Amino acid sequence: MQEVLRCSKSQLTQMQAAYAPFTVATPNGAIFRAKKNGTTITAYRSGKVMFQGNNTTAESKLWQTSTSTKMTNKPTDSEGLPPDFANWSVLGSDEVGTGSYFGPLTVAAVYVDSAHLAQVRQLGIQDSKKVTDPEIIRMAKQLLTFLPYHVVNLMPPKYNQLMQRYNQGQLKALCHNLALQTVLNKINPTKPDGILIDQFVAPATYYRYLKGQPNIISQHVYFKIKGEQAHLAVAAASIIARYVSLMAMDQLTEQAKITLPIGAGNAVDQIAAKLLHEGQALGQFAKLHFANTAKAEKLAQRYES
Ligand code: MG
């Protein structure tokens, strides 16, 4: 059983006093948590109070007044996250480029505190995959003016070098951890209510990848597939990562003197073969461990003969 009330500030104060004898450890983002008669009561800064357990109805009835509102079903897209997570001050991270042969691996971490949520939302931010390039550029340029962020952009030469030592998942985890760490340092002494990583691997695997690292960010960390739907910080990180990646692709295209396609399909093999034929070093432009490398070499041989 679960019931949620939205309460006023003064009501929250009353509740906190009333439940003081029953309090237990306070979870992330909560004001207090109490256990009474088989019911767990958790009050959040946003004014939401959650009643869970055997006597939820009886207990929540005590507080249903004209100033409190009973709330129905929690939104499904925040499953696994605390209620009202979308309104927290969150440091979010996301990456781009892992499935693309040409171009860098780019990871961005961005801090969006609750005071800036409206401003970020106003930009029309959504999942960067559904947004056109000019829109990405417009939004990113705005975001970069007022949000604390850090981008780890591994251009192909560096990426290829690191892939000698790590697998791609590991490399992603290292980049996320570094980006998050850097933003935490930037905003210090401010601490986010939570950290949300756009999930690319099971959390246990993520931390296994980071084993032995000097600074592992793990406090208040949440993982969420489609994290951009759970908090604007991840949506903003996604936009900024896309933006940096786009700029890098432009730079590489200029260097290669040929337009480098994204993805890892046939068009990519053709261009890679062309570069090889011209005597250019693929490692300057591409992620060499992809199967495209062998395919391009084969195609290039045909040019020669
Ligand atoms: Mg992602």
Side-chain angles (χ1 to χ4, degrees):
M1 277 288 286
Q2 174 175 317
E3 278 189 30
V4 183
L5 294 182
R6 184 179 280 285
C7 300
S8 66
K9 270 222 165 88
S10 65
Q11 213 176 9
L12 283 175
T13 313
Q14 284 175 36
M15 288 174 119
Q16 190 163 16
Y19 287 118
F22 309 100
T23 49
V24 294
T26 310
N28 293 341
I31 303 171
F32 70 87
R33 170 173 280 174
K35 277 194 175 155
K36 190 189 161 196
N37 300 334
T39 305
T40 302
I41 302 105
T42 314
Y44 292 91
R45 283 173 216 163
S46 61
K48 273 188 193 172
V49 181
M50 219 163 70
F51 298 81
Q52 293 164 297
N54 301 330
N55 298 305
T56 47
T57 311
E59 197 64 36
S60 76
K61 263 215 175 99
L62 296 174
W63 300 101
Q64 282 176 39
T65 65
S66 53
T67 50
S68 69
T69 335
K70 192 172 167 183
M71 299 176 68
T72 43
N73 299 329
K74 52 178 182 168
T76 50
D77 68 350
S78 64
E79 208 181 316
L81 293 174
D84 206 33
F85 186 85
N87 294 321
W88 287 17
S89 296
V90 167
L91 171 58
S93 63
D94 193 14
E95 83 284 328
V96 66
T98 51
S100 196
Y101 182 59
F102 290 118
L105 166 62
T106 313
V107 179
V110 184
Y111 179 55
V112 181
D113 67 9
S114 50
H116 286 98
L117 283 169
Q119 200 178 344
V120 173
R121 195 174 291 117
Q122 257 177 8
L123 292 172
I125 277 205
Q126 44 180 313
D127 183 2
S128 73
K129 289 177 199 93
K130 297 175 202 147
V131 185
T132 61
D133 290 353
E135 277 288 282
I136 294 282
I137 294 165
R138 181 191 65 83
M139 289 193 287
K141 281 186 171 166
Q142 292 281 318
L143 293 170
L144 295 177
T145 62
F146 66 93
L147 296 177
Y149 71 95
H150 185 72
V151 177
V152 178
N153 187 46
L154 295 182
M155 291 298 270
K158 184 78 188 167
Y159 176 94
N160 291 323
Q161 184 198 327
L162 289 167
M163 282 297 289
Q164 309 278 337
R165 283 167 59 195
Y166 306 105
N167 66 46
Q168 202 196 42
Q170 240 169 330
L171 198 49
K172 276 199 261 187
L174 289 166
C175 291
H176 274 264
N177 190 62
L178 175 60
L180 293 171
Q181 169 76 67
T182 310
V183 179
L184 284 175
N185 290 343
K186 277 185 188 174
I187 65 174
N188 187 53
T190 301
K191 300 255 180 284
D193 297 332
I195 295 174
L196 183 62
I197 298 175
D198 189 47
Q199 188 173 337
F200 55 90
V201 71
T205 311
Y206 176 83
Y207 288 116
R208 188 161 48 76
Y209 284 156
L210 292 179
K211 229 176 175 179
Q213 291 301 310
N215 265 314
I216 301 173
I217 308 301
S218 60
Q219 272 199 331
H220 312 300
V221 172
Y222 299 88
F223 295 84
K224 186 90 186 121
I225 292 168
K226 294 194 181 149
E228 69 281 350
Q229 293 173 9
H231 199 282
L232 285 172
V234 174
S238 163
I239 299 281
I240 290 170
R242 267 283 297 274
Y243 170 69
V244 172
S245 177
L246 278 173
M247 296 300 108
M249 283 299 271
D250 280 356
Q251 187 196 319
L252 290 174
T253 286
E254 207 169 296
Q255 220 178 304
K257 297 185 179 66
I258 190 164
T259 302
L260 303 174
I262 54 163
N266 288 335
V268 163
D269 300 336
Q270 298 293 339
I271 299 295
K274 215 168 220 174
L275 289 171
L276 281 175
H277 181 63
E278 289 169 2
Q280 301 221 54
L282 269 188
Q284 285 297 311
F285 310 104
K287 302 181 184 78
L288 294 178
H289 66 102
F290 278 45
N292 303 83
T293 302
K295 290 183 200 160
E297 278 164 358
K298 247 190 190 158
L299 285 170
Q301 275 168 14
R302 253 180 258 168
Y303 273 112
E304 322 289 325
S305 55

